[in-house]
Amino acid sequence: MSKVILVTGGARSGKSNFAEKLCKDQNNNTAYIATSIPFDDEMKERVKKHKDIYTIINDISKEHKTVILDCVTLLVNNLMFTYEIDIDNSTQDEINGLEKYIKEQVEKLLIEIKKTNLYFVIVTNELGLGGVSINKLTRIYTDIIGRINQQIATHSDEVYFVVSGIPMKIKG
């Protein structure tokens, strides 16, 4: 049975370092799933093997015991911009459709993870601690990230909040 751990916190809070420590404490055979979009040849080569995050989970579980997915906020960003919606001129129904699509993709990922025996650490940014942006895109992005983080936390066995490099266990 898989174990899902969510690590959240602000930018440069030490989330990724803590996630790596969690995995290293389990073993030295950790796979790393980066959610970046490749913009240069080197990055294109790195991610060539990992085009579809959902289909590689099972393959990873054959070679690795632990996995870090870093990070959800960039994954959501990528999904938002591949959905092809003009957020600044969108209706609430269109925004709701976008969020539904992203939630479905995250649910699909969580289902694939639960089918494995992986120790799976998911890193995300906590964006809801600041003020409300005057920019519509930023407000919608922050709202969606907040709800996606809640979705993942609900399905996680443990949740940690990292502040200034210090992790605090808040679930599990």
Side-chain angles (χ1 to χ4, degrees):
M1 173 182 265
S2 67
K3 183 168 186 176
V4 178
I5 296 91
L6 179 64
V7 178
T8 189
R12 302 290 176 248
S13 63
K15 301 178 303 290
S16 295
N17 287 340
F18 178 66
E20 289 171 5
K21 182 186 179 315
L22 286 173
C23 289
K24 188 165 179 71
D25 288 350
Q26 296 294 311
N27 62 58
N28 285 316
N29 189 16
T30 300
Y32 192 95
I33 301 173
T35 58
S36 63
I37 294 177
F39 291 105
D40 60 33
D41 290 338
E42 188 238 343
M43 280 300 288
K44 287 177 185 173
E45 191 60 36
R46 282 179 174 224
V47 299
K48 186 186 285 184
K49 298 178 264 181
H50 305 296
K51 295 260 185 210
D52 188 341
I53 195 170
Y54 317 109
T55 60
I56 65 168
I57 300 298
N58 188 46
D59 292 339
I60 287 173
S61 69
K62 294 173 186 172
E63 297 179 31
H64 300 276
K65 301 281 187 230
T66 58
V67 176
I68 296 173
L69 184 145
D70 197 350
C71 76
V72 169
T73 45
L74 189 52
L75 176 67
V76 169
N77 177 76
N78 297 345
L79 290 170
M80 283 180 73
F81 288 104
T82 58
Y83 190 75
E84 297 184 14
I85 181 176
D86 178 5
I87 289 182
D88 288 327
N89 297 306
S90 60
T91 66
Q92 189 59 50
D93 284 344
E94 291 171 323
I95 293 167
N96 292 344
L98 168 65
E99 185 169 344
K100 180 177 184 272
Y101 165 73
I102 293 170
K103 284 182 176 179
E104 288 169 352
Q105 299 307 304
V106 170
E107 189 66 28
K108 188 176 174 183
L109 174 64
L110 292 166
I111 288 168
E112 291 305 311
I113 293 168
K114 291 290 186 178
K115 291 178 184 177
T116 71
N117 290 318
L118 291 167
Y119 183 90
F120 207 102
V121 181
I122 300 172
V123 178
T124 191
N125 286 291
E126 186 57 50
L127 302 181
L129 297 174
V132 177
S133 175
I134 61 170
N135 178 282
K136 182 177 180 181
L137 173 60
T138 304
R139 284 193 312 272
I140 291 167
Y141 179 66
T142 300
D143 290 348
I144 291 174
I145 290 292
R147 288 188 281 269
I148 294 300
N149 286 349
Q150 291 175 47
Q151 176 186 10
I152 296 170
T154 298
H155 293 281
S156 295
D157 300 294
E158 297 176 7
V159 178
Y160 292 88
F161 183 65
V162 181
V163 179
S164 300
I166 300 170
M168 296 177 289
K169 191 174 194 179
I170 58 175
K171 179 181 177 185

